[in-house]
Amino acid sequence: MANSKYEYVRSFEQPDSLLANTWIVIRIDGRGFTKFTARYNFTKPNDRRALDLMNAAAEAVMKELPDLCLAYGNSDEYSFVFHKDCVLFERRASKLTTTIVSTFSAYYIYLWPNYFEEPLTPPLPSFDGRAVCYPSDRNLRDYMSWRQVDCHINNLYNTTFWALVKRGGLDPRAAEQELSGTVSSDKNEILFSRFGINYNNEPEIFKKGSVMYRDFFPPSAEPSPLPQTVAQSTPPLSHPRPQRAIVRPLSQPAAPSYMDPARISR
Ligand code: ATP
Ligand code: ATP
Ligand code: MG
Ligand code: MG
Ligand code: MG
Ligand code: MG
Ligand code: MG
């Protein structure tokens, strides 16, 4: 087939190699999950099963793609970080993004029955994805902070919104109106004074999301490093876990030797 008269069409392909020596972040996000979560009656504002499923799919992606060093997820999104030195697919954005998106989607659907009783039926869940390069360690750190702040803001809003609806008896429109123009302290006050909820006591996984990293220099001499999970509580045992995976709260992260916080300094 090579050198056929049709071969010239290859020249229409656009080069899309990502800038060398930069952190590559692939962020995926569930498509139309507002509808999807309603259809499968996710507990609002946070369905723990769904978060565990997202984390399990992300862990599978980390295991299949050894070039990944870090991942952060909340809600229906996950950000995967390829190391600066990564040369997988010659750093082509389309190849990297589509491989992450399809691997994640495949595992999300494969692992679904471990977390939900109701079987999936079409339209099946799917994810979009994009690739962005971050040149400095500070940029990468700020990217992670940006996603985590987004998680916090959304979660505070959703927690207050659903308290007003479920416990305050407001209809969704009234709850939305009540919250329009409020700042964080107002929402904390509504939660505490009306519902006796101290937002600080909400589960860490809801407030902060989940992070997973690969330990490139494990303390023992084992040859193939496995991803480690820093989730907020013990993950379900319904799927196999890497033997050396550790589970610790985000507030006391294990110092990963490779992604040492000190090395990603501001
Ligand atoms: P798009 O296709 O543009 O991303 P979307 O409906 O997925 O549209 P998002 O901004 O991604 O919009 O919002 C994700 C939705 O999924 C939110 O409504 C969020 O509350 C819901 N969601 C995600 N994870 C959970 C969960 N674990 N429990 C309950 N709801 C969730
Ligand atoms: P890459 O990840 O680079 O795409 P690959 O192994 O998938 O690697 P391809 O060039 O895509 O390489 O080749 C696809 C392979 O799958 C070939 O070996 C092809 O013979 C095999 N294959 C695909 N479809 C079928 C099929 N229906 N029956 C038998 N073999 C198949
Ligand atoms: Mg989206
Ligand atoms: Mg979405
Ligand atoms: Mg989203
Ligand atoms: Mg092929
Ligand atoms: Mg192929």
Side-chain angles (χ1 to χ4, degrees):
M1 290 293 279
N3 298 322
S4 74
K5 66 174 178 178
Y6 307 115
E7 185 80 8
Y8 78 97
V9 296
R10 187 183 275 285
S11 66
F12 283 72
E13 289 185 14
Q14 298 288 313
D16 67 344
S17 282
L18 295 166
L19 190 65
N21 297 323
T22 54
W23 298 104
I24 298 171
V25 176
I26 312 282
R27 181 169 75 258
I28 65 162
D29 185 281
R31 294 181 58 226
F33 263 46
T34 305
K35 259 191 177 169
F36 178 77
T37 56
R39 180 170 168 221
Y40 288 95
N41 299 310
F42 279 28
T43 309
K44 289 291 179 178
N46 289 291
D47 193 310
R48 181 58 201 255
R49 297 168 301 174
L51 295 176
D52 291 339
L53 172 56
M54 289 290 291
N55 287 341
E59 188 178 313
V61 170
M62 292 277 287
K63 284 197 210 162
E64 294 220 355
L65 293 156
D67 294 70
L68 288 170
C69 52
L70 185 68
Y72 169 74
N74 74 81
S75 182
D76 68 338
E77 71 169 64
Y78 237 101
S79 298
F80 294 92
V81 182
F82 282 108
H83 185 255
K84 281 182 163 187
D85 298 339
C86 168
V87 289
L88 183 63
F89 300 132
E90 296 154 324
R91 299 172 69 87
R92 287 166 65 185
S94 54
K95 290 263 195 177
L96 292 170
T97 308
T98 56
T99 300
I100 295 271
V101 160
S102 64
T103 308
F104 188 94
S105 304
Y107 274 104
Y108 189 93
I109 291 166
Y110 174 68
L111 295 168
W112 173 271
N114 292 353
Y115 299 89
F116 289 89
E117 273 173 29
E118 185 178 351
L120 278 175
T121 50
L124 296 173
S126 59
F127 295 81
D128 64 30
R130 73 195 71 188
V132 182
C133 292
Y134 291 100
S136 70
D137 293 356
R138 174 167 181 165
N139 292 151
L140 177 64
R141 190 189 169 114
D142 287 347
Y143 171 82
M144 290 299 168
S145 300
W146 175 50
R147 294 327 300 152
Q148 197 169 52
V149 166
D150 197 67
C151 171
H152 165 68
I153 291 170
N154 288 335
N155 190 60
L156 178 59
Y157 181 92
N158 290 338
T159 304
T160 317
F161 176 88
W162 286 103
L164 287 168
V165 171
K166 283 178 158 177
R167 294 170 63 173
L170 267 63
D171 68 55
R173 186 176 290 239
E176 200 180 319
Q177 267 172 11
E178 176 113 20
L179 290 176
S180 93
T182 58
V183 294
S184 292
S185 55
D186 301 327
K187 294 184 189 79
N188 275 296
E189 184 57 26
I190 292 173
L191 283 174
F192 194 70
S193 62
R194 289 211 225 160
F195 306 108
I197 297 171
N198 182 343
Y199 184 74
N200 291 332
N201 296 338
E202 288 292 292
E204 296 290 288
I205 192 171
F206 297 169
K207 290 185 294 184
K208 293 180 178 169
S210 303
V211 62
M212 221 170 271
Y213 62 88
R214 187 180 307 280
D215 191 354
F216 276 79
F217 303 107
S220 64
E222 285 171 56
S224 67
L226 291 163
Q228 300 203 5
T229 311
V230 183
Q232 270 52 47
S233 68
T234 311
L237 298 171
S238 46
H239 68 282
R241 311 256 330 147
Q243 271 190 323
R244 291 189 312 98
I246 53 148
V247 181
R248 296 208 179 101
L250 246 189
S251 47
Q252 318 149 19
S257 43
Y258 175 67
M259 293 297 290
D260 190 320
R263 291 194 52 197
I264 309 178
S265 52
R266 277 172 183 275

